[in-house]
Amino acid sequence: MWGGRFAGGPSAIMREINASIPFDQRLWRQDIAGSRAHAAMLGAAGIVSAEDAAAIDGGLATIAEEYKRDGVPVDLDREDIHMTVESRLAELIGPAAGRLHTARSRNDQVATDFKLWVRDAIGAVDAGLKALQQALVARADEHAESVMPGFTHLQVAQPVTLGHHLMAYHEMLARDRSRFADARARANLCPLGAAALAGTGFPIDREATARSLGFDGPTRNSLDSVSDRDFALDYLMAAAQCALHLSRLAEEFIVWASQPYGFVALPDAYSTGSSIMPQKRNPDAAELVRGHSGRIAGCMVALTMTMKGLPLAYSKDMQDDKPPVFEAHDLLALSIAAMTGMVATATFRADRLRAAAEAGFSTATDLADWLVRQADVPFREAHHITGRVVKLAEERCVALSALPLEALKAIDARIDERVYGALTVDASVAARKSFGGTAPDQVRARVAEAKAALEAER
């Protein structure tokens, strides 16, 4: 490739450090698609003959079939996927292959290939997240009335429903999907035709190549076109946020599956055993999802640091842009699939969830609210009264609803027998009817909206 300028070849070390074909072979579909679009444009613009354009297109189609069947050959002397494809094209069609690189550089070529790959990756992630949302919504519908403890600081706070809890993760994933959609929209301008950094003197039609590759149009500045990796960073930042949400859900499953909680039983398909303790059922899939989140965040940081001090336009540092994106994508796709399987097949122990909700004085706020509504007590005073009631129940080792009315009246005479209707966990969740609250009717309404929205995407 450099024969006209260099008298000698690279050292073995230079060959190894310079070659990217071991990892950028993953771009072969995008590279061939971009080259076919470029060749068609060159032929339509009369920059190469129709015969040469047809030969190039036919050769590229043949290469695509070879790679699909046999994989991409890895040869460090050919450096990257671009030269690997071009070298094979020359073997197939002869000198006409040399015309393919007219009016383009590897700089705009790789930027285009990588954008196409990231765009495809976003589509795959979005489909996976939609499937996970559907699993969450289905289980939330099933457990719209299953009472469980809501926690703050991992202390029992107020009763909620399991359906409400699961729908919280549906909301997180909806934001994740919106971030990926935003990233795709920003990425959807085509760098092809920017050449090395300054554009080209050939009369190319950048609008045509952009349209044929499904972009909204061409990029507007040739320097930015070849040096931009914001689209990769956008993908990684969205992936890191998404992995954080998956990690939180995985952590819930890990804690809930432990014997002190016993809220959920994970299926054999997402559990492992111990090499020495036969009774163990370990939530390894969830733990690995939790672990993958750190690696995905690390990939985001890695590319951020690679790009932070690069001057315009292209620098070889940017060859290191692809490994962190590829790694993060693989880990994220696997994590999404694992959590989808766990959510869909886990067995939730409604009896254990209810028992935990009934412990820890979780309806204390309901007592305070009752005092405000029924006795016209200012909330701060009601909070203080309720604190005294909780202290008494704690001393007697009983639930709030088990305290006799005389004991409650001794704390505040305004309390009467109607209070017991507010102190059950079912009454507590039913009372939370504000929009987005945990009342079963609210949960079912949100589930219905989510189902309709997911169905409408088809």
Side-chain angles (χ1 to χ4, degrees):
M1 178 175 60
W2 308 331
R5 171 67 178 84
F6 287 77
S11 70
I13 292 174
M14 183 60 194
R15 285 172 64 247
E16 186 168 352
I17 196 173
N18 192 54
S20 59
I21 186 62
F23 55 83
D24 70 16
Q25 60 181 289
R26 291 177 66 150
L27 299 175
W28 72 263
R29 289 178 177 83
Q30 291 77 21
D31 191 75
I32 289 174
S35 290
R36 294 183 77 174
H38 186 66
M41 181 277 296
L42 292 176
I47 298 171
V48 303
S49 69
E51 293 76 15
D52 283 346
I56 290 168
D57 187 73
L60 291 170
T62 298
I63 295 169
E65 288 299 318
E66 291 177 352
Y67 289 176
K68 184 177 180 181
R69 181 183 65 244
D70 304 323
V72 179
V74 175
D75 181 348
L76 297 187
D77 286 331
R78 293 178 177 177
E79 285 194 25
D80 55 31
I81 187 60
H82 322 298
M83 293 310 301
T84 298
V85 170
E86 189 172 324
S87 297
R88 178 58 180 149
L89 184 64
E91 293 171 356
L92 290 173
I93 69 171
R99 299 190 184 280
L100 173 59
H101 210 54
T102 306
R104 78 173 182 185
S105 162
R106 280 194 298 178
N107 293 352
D108 62 332
Q109 186 179 0
V110 69
T112 303
D113 292 357
F114 199 17
K115 271 196 176 184
L116 289 170
W117 190 94
V118 167
R119 198 173 66 180
D120 292 342
I122 289 173
V125 167
D126 186 70
L129 290 175
K130 180 181 178 181
L132 179 50
Q133 282 184 303
Q134 289 171 322
L136 287 164
V137 169
R139 301 312 301 271
D141 195 11
E142 180 184 346
H143 290 283
E145 295 188 18
S146 298
V147 178
M148 66 171 289
F151 296 95
T152 62
H153 310 278
L154 268 184
Q155 305 294 309
V156 173
Q158 292 178 309
V160 297
T161 63
L162 177 58
H164 190 58
H165 193 107
L166 294 175
M167 286 299 290
Y169 285 97
H170 168 272
E171 294 299 311
M172 294 183 206
L173 298 182
R175 293 193 296 273
D176 290 328
R177 293 183 69 192
S178 72
R179 273 184 282 271
F180 281 113
D182 290 345
R184 191 190 191 285
R186 279 190 296 276
N188 212 35
L189 294 176
C190 183
L192 195 58
L197 75 162
T200 178
F202 290 96
I204 61 174
D205 185 349
R206 294 191 64 205
E207 290 282 355
T209 50
R211 285 194 305 271
S212 68
L213 293 171
F215 288 101
D216 295 332
T219 51
R220 299 178 182 85
N221 182 284
S222 58
L223 281 168
D224 180 58
S225 300
V226 298
S227 63
D228 168 41
R229 292 299 183 271
D230 286 0
F231 63 92
L233 287 166
D234 279 350
Y235 176 84
L236 287 174
M237 290 175 183
Q241 184 73 64
C242 182
L244 183 154
H245 291 150
L246 296 176
S247 180
R248 294 182 71 180
L249 179 57
E251 172 69 4
E252 305 250 44
F253 272 70
I254 292 163
V255 172
W256 290 358
S258 66
Q259 281 73 24
Y261 281 78
F263 291 173
V264 66
L266 297 181
D268 290 349
Y270 296 95
S271 306
T272 65
S274 165
S275 64
I276 189 172
M277 295 170 285
Q279 84 280 10
K280 293 295 292 299
R281 177 190 290 272
N282 298 325
D284 282 12
E287 290 173 350
L288 287 167
V289 170
R290 187 176 60 184
H292 287 170
S293 66
R295 293 174 62 188
I296 293 168
C299 291
M300 182 268 291
V301 173
L303 185 54
T304 301
M305 292 302 98
T306 296
M307 297 300 299
K308 72 176 180 63
L310 297 186
L312 294 177
Y314 180 84
S315 298
K316 195 68 170 181
D317 314 45
M318 293 167 69
Q319 182 167 288
D320 284 338
D321 57 358
K322 287 169 282 296
V325 176
F326 293 160
E327 180 183 0
H329 176 72
D330 292 347
L331 292 171
L332 184 62
L334 194 55
S335 295
I336 293 169
M339 292 313 304
T340 302
M342 276 185 274
V343 168
T345 59
T347 300
F348 293 103
R349 295 281 308 279
D351 56 334
R352 294 292 296 266
L353 290 163
R354 174 176 284 273
E358 290 173 341
F361 312 114
S362 64
T363 59
T365 305
D366 298 278
L367 172 56
D369 289 346
W370 184 90
L371 286 164
V372 171
R373 285 195 301 266
Q374 302 298 329
D376 196 26
V377 178
F379 182 81
R380 284 301 170 200
E381 183 183 352
H383 186 285
H384 181 72
I385 295 167
T386 301
R388 293 174 61 195
V389 172
V390 169
K391 183 178 180 182
L392 177 63
E394 192 171 44
E395 289 171 351
R396 295 189 180 187
C397 298
V398 297
L400 297 180
S401 58
L403 288 170
L405 183 58
E406 294 75 15
L408 294 174
K409 281 184 169 294
I411 292 174
D412 194 286
R414 291 168 290 188
I415 299 176
D416 60 44
E417 65 277 357
R418 294 175 299 167
V419 76
Y420 291 107
L423 296 182
T424 68
V425 293
D426 292 300
S428 178
V429 297
R432 299 313 194 263
K433 295 179 180 180
S434 57
F435 183 87
T438 193
D441 288 348
Q442 279 294 314
V443 173
R444 290 194 182 94
R446 302 293 80 73
V447 165
E449 290 169 357
K451 284 184 176 181
L454 292 167
E455 183 69 24
E457 292 180 27
R458 294 180 179 175

